Each structure stands twice: as C-alpha cells, then as structure tokens.
Amino acid sequence: MPSSSLAPVRPPAPSPARRGAVDSDRLRTSASVVLRSVLDHGPVARSTVARLTGLSPASVTDHCARLSALGLIREAPEPRRSNGVGRPHVPVDLDDSRFVVGGIHIAVPYTTVALLDLRGRVVAERRLSHDGGTEPDRVLADAAAGLRALLTDAPSRTPLTVGVAAGGWVDRDSGTIVDHPLLDWHDVPVREVIAAHTGLPVHVDGHARALVNGERLFGAAARGSLSVLHLFVGNVVDAAFATHDEVHHGPRSQAGSIAHLPLAGGTEPCDCGRTGCLQAELSERTLCRRAREAGVIRTSNPMHVLAAAADGDTTAVRLLLHRSLMTGRAVGLLLDVLNPDTVVVTEMGAVHREDCLAALREEVGSDRAAAVVPTSFPDSVLAVAGGSVALDVVYRDPLGMSPGRLRALPPGPT
C-alpha cells in the first residue's frame, strides 16, 4: 500500500465568510462578557475586568472603547489609585442616564407599559385597562400609544429597543403569541405589529422566561446560580428553566407550559375536562372567585384579597395560605423533575406575606426550602418582565445596538 494513503485527511479550510462569522460571534460574546462585568462590578477598573473575564487587557480596552462610543458605558468621574501609588486606575461604569428600553407586558385584565434603564430599574410605568376589549389590534395599538406617551414625558431618554412579554405560548423566534387561551389570541404577530407602531426593534418572549433573564441580570438571589427555575403564578401559570446563563426554550418556544400538570389535592375543574390542573387550581381568577363566594371581596382584583388579609380578614388569610401551600406543592413537583439550584416564585401571597412564603416553603420541605425565594421585583414584576426581554438582547449583543441611527417614534395611527 502506498505510504501516501496513510496520510491524515485534512478537513477543508473554513471559507472566508465562515471565518468572518466566527470572528463576529467571538467579538459579540466578548463584548457581552465585558458589559456584564461592568454591570455586576462597576465602577470597575479595566484591569479588573480583564482579570474577571479572562480576556486580555488590550481586548478589554478595545471593547470598553466600543461600548463607550455606543454610550453604554462611561469613565467614572473620580480616578482611583491602587494603594495610593502608581498611575490612577480610571474605572468604567454603566452610563444609565441616556438610554432606556421599552417594556410591554400583556396580562389578561390589563397591559403594563414601562421604560427601564440599563440597570433594569423602572423609570416610568403605566397600566392600561382592557375595558375596551381584548382584540389583538386594539390591545397592541394601545400599548404602543402608551409607550409613546411615556417617551414623550422623558425627552432626555433615547429608546434602544422594545421588549414584549406575555403568558401562553409565545414563540420568541417569530415574535408571535401562538396561543393564549385566556385572551383568545392565536398566531398574533406581536413583533411585527409593535414594530410598525413604534419604528423600533422589538423582541417578544414568554413572561416566565423573561423574568428568569431579569433575575439573572438584576435580581438578588438568583445571580450566580448555575441553574434557575422560575414559577409564575398569576392568571396564567407557567415556568421557565435556565442553566449556565441560557434559558431553555424548546421547539417553537413551547418549553414551560405547565398549565395542565395535575396538582395533588386540587379540586378545581379545568376547561380541559379534568380536575386539579395546576393553572385552574392556582390562577388569580380562581382565587378571586373563591373570595367572592366567601364574601371577602366583590371584585375580580386579587390585590383586594391581599388587602382584606392585611386588614385581618381571616377568610382572606386562609385563602392566601392555601394558595401558597398549593404553589409549594407545585414547586416540589418541579424540583423533583429539574433539581435547580434556585427556585424563584412570583406568587402574590408568597411575595407580600411572610406567612404565605413560610407555608410555601414548608410544603416544599425543609431540606429544599432555602432554595426557594420570592421574585426580586415585588412591586414591578410585570414591567420588569417586558423590559427584561429587551435588556437580555442588549446584554447579549451590545454591539448590535445602534442608538445613533434611532429616529423619533412615529405618531400613532389616526
């Protein structure tokens, strides 16, 4: 056999286009790592960023220059000396004074519109009732108009992008609410409609996944966890799971649909024909109906149940404790399946009452209770959900932001 036949087969060299794509991805990833480091540690010296990220000092300097040119970071006003000797280290920090993202959260009874700065703080917020109906065109047009009004009242802020969050089946890639049974929405092209109304880049995702990203970027308990589960308990009940900074979406973003998981001890009939489905048992609509039947409230506002409990209504307290206990049962089920480091729960009782949080944790079990924490955003969770869809994009691809090309929002439809 000729010796040449034993020579190793070399794979073809990557094409120039492929090499360019790889270099571009590497550039975006490195810029993202630098901006996240500034968010987490700023004001911080460039040399410290290099140490924290493993990037070379020269690479960090180049990325800081790019991010500064985009207006995302700035040098801190006071240089700091290391041990009082040598050249001063001029730290860099987020420039949170210039840019905002728009956040839209579409709930069953109302839409929340908000502006958030680069630290995930709510700059302005407004709630828009669905009293006029929940037809998609109406709701989305009202949301865009509400966002325009907030920006008009904040003339010094420049919008980078808009995030839209909602319950139900939300396909992130197509920007579509595929199915939201409680709103009776099917295949609604949310990204396309909001972009047409605003002229801004628009990103759409499910609210549980959005809140995982909010916790990952700005939250108190989940930052640094290798795996995070978020359980959202509102009118819609759904979940999201992230490992190593990546939220699992699944094909067409269907991951996290847990509405019809059977909940042990559940007694509420579900529209699917079964009894004790997780969403039917835990939804705010069920809570309010039970509270009305018990004479606690006369409305469909779950916050009125919370207020009644705060005023000493023992029936309201019992209803809230039962709901939190059943939520803990659902958390225990999800812990058994996914075994995350941290579970973040957005459930009204557990968020606002210590006794409800204690009931939830007791049902989870003492060996795992410490891993369960309430949302980091108790007073602005829906605004943060919408804004986090946009801010996740900003922090994953900061070099993709083009504030210099942004135009003023067009006027709304007449």
Side-chain angles (χ1 to χ4, degrees):
M1 181 180 294
S3 59
S4 59
S5 66
L6 301 178
V9 177
R10 297 175 182 266
S15 67
R18 175 60 181 159
R19 287 197 300 271
V22 170
D23 290 343
S24 178
D25 289 344
R26 186 180 297 116
L27 190 67
R28 283 198 300 271
T29 300
S30 298
S32 172
V33 168
V34 170
L35 187 60
R36 283 285 302 277
S37 184
V38 175
L39 168 68
D40 291 340
H41 303 284
V44 60
R46 293 169 179 82
S47 58
T48 303
V49 174
R51 177 174 55 81
L52 291 169
T53 62
L55 298 170
S56 70
S59 178
V60 169
T61 297
D62 287 344
H63 283 302
C64 285
R66 292 186 181 95
L67 296 172
S68 179
L70 287 170
L72 300 176
I73 67 172
R74 61 184 173 188
E75 291 188 345
E78 293 291 333
R80 298 189 298 192
R81 292 183 180 274
S82 176
N83 299 322
V85 297
R87 297 179 61 186
H89 294 285
V90 181
V92 292
D93 202 359
L94 285 181
D95 187 346
D96 54 22
S97 64
R98 301 173 60 183
F99 299 121
V100 290
V101 299
I104 299 173
H105 180 276
I106 303 168
V108 175
Y110 54 81
T111 295
T112 301
V113 294
L115 303 179
L116 281 73
D117 70 11
L118 294 182
R119 296 186 189 277
R121 299 176 300 200
V122 178
V123 175
E125 180 178 355
R126 181 174 298 178
R127 182 173 291 181
L128 309 173
S129 172
H130 292 169
D131 289 344
T134 58
E135 296 84 1
D137 289 346
R138 179 197 297 270
V139 170
L140 297 178
D142 287 349
L147 203 57
R148 281 195 301 273
L150 294 182
L151 286 165
T152 298
D153 292 339
S156 64
R157 299 281 192 159
T158 299
L160 288 173
T161 183
V162 178
V164 183
W169 175 7
V170 182
D171 184 358
R172 178 186 61 167
D173 292 337
S174 67
T176 301
I177 293 181
V178 180
D179 188 38
H180 195 309
L182 296 183
L183 286 174
D184 196 25
W185 286 20
H186 310 284
D187 295 316
V188 178
V190 174
R191 181 171 63 201
E192 177 184 318
V193 173
I194 295 295
H197 278 292
T198 65
L200 292 169
V202 177
H203 307 276
V204 185
D205 208 345
H207 56 200
R209 291 191 293 264
L211 286 167
V212 166
N213 285 324
E215 295 286 349
R216 177 180 62 83
L217 288 167
F218 314 111
R223 292 170 82 175
S225 292
L226 293 179
S227 56
V228 181
L229 169 71
H230 186 278
L231 176 62
F232 185 97
V233 182
N235 280 304
V236 173
V237 179
D238 54 13
F241 184 60
T243 56
H244 298 283
D245 223 23
E246 290 290 338
V247 178
H248 180 61
H249 283 76
R252 292 206 68 193
S253 300
Q254 282 189 276
S257 178
I258 58 172
H260 296 287
L261 284 180
L263 189 59
T267 60
E268 190 70 20
C270 181
D271 291 341
C272 74
R274 295 182 294 179
T275 297
C277 290
L278 199 152
Q279 180 166 290
E281 190 67 31
L282 298 182
S283 78
E284 289 176 350
R285 299 203 302 178
T286 299
L287 172 67
C288 289
R289 196 205 74 242
R290 291 174 175 175
R292 287 194 303 272
E293 291 173 350
V296 175
I297 62 173
R298 297 181 179 180
T299 70
S300 297
N301 188 337
M303 297 304 292
H304 293 172
V305 184
L306 198 66
D311 288 340
D313 188 310
T314 56
T315 302
V317 173
R318 176 180 58 79
L319 289 170
L320 290 171
L321 285 172
H322 176 74
R323 184 174 187 246
S324 292
L325 182 149
M326 295 298 278
T327 300
R329 195 165 294 176
V331 169
L333 175 65
L334 296 171
L335 272 166
D336 288 342
V337 174
L338 297 171
N339 193 31
D341 293 325
T342 304
V343 180
V344 180
V345 178
T346 297
E347 189 269 326
M348 184 180 64
V351 168
H352 294 287
R353 293 181 60 94
E354 288 295 330
D355 56 349
C356 287
L357 180 59
L360 190 157
R361 285 173 167 164
E362 183 177 356
E363 185 65 20
V364 168
S366 58
D367 57 329
R368 300 185 295 185
V372 182
V373 296
T375 177
S376 301
F377 318 106
D379 300 318
S380 56
V381 65
L382 302 185
V384 171
S388 292
V389 176
L391 287 166
D392 175 59
V393 175
V394 172
Y395 279 95
R396 288 189 184 277
D397 186 16
L399 301 183
M401 299 298 106
S402 302
R405 296 203 300 267
L406 291 176
R407 301 186 299 274
L409 288 176
T414 57

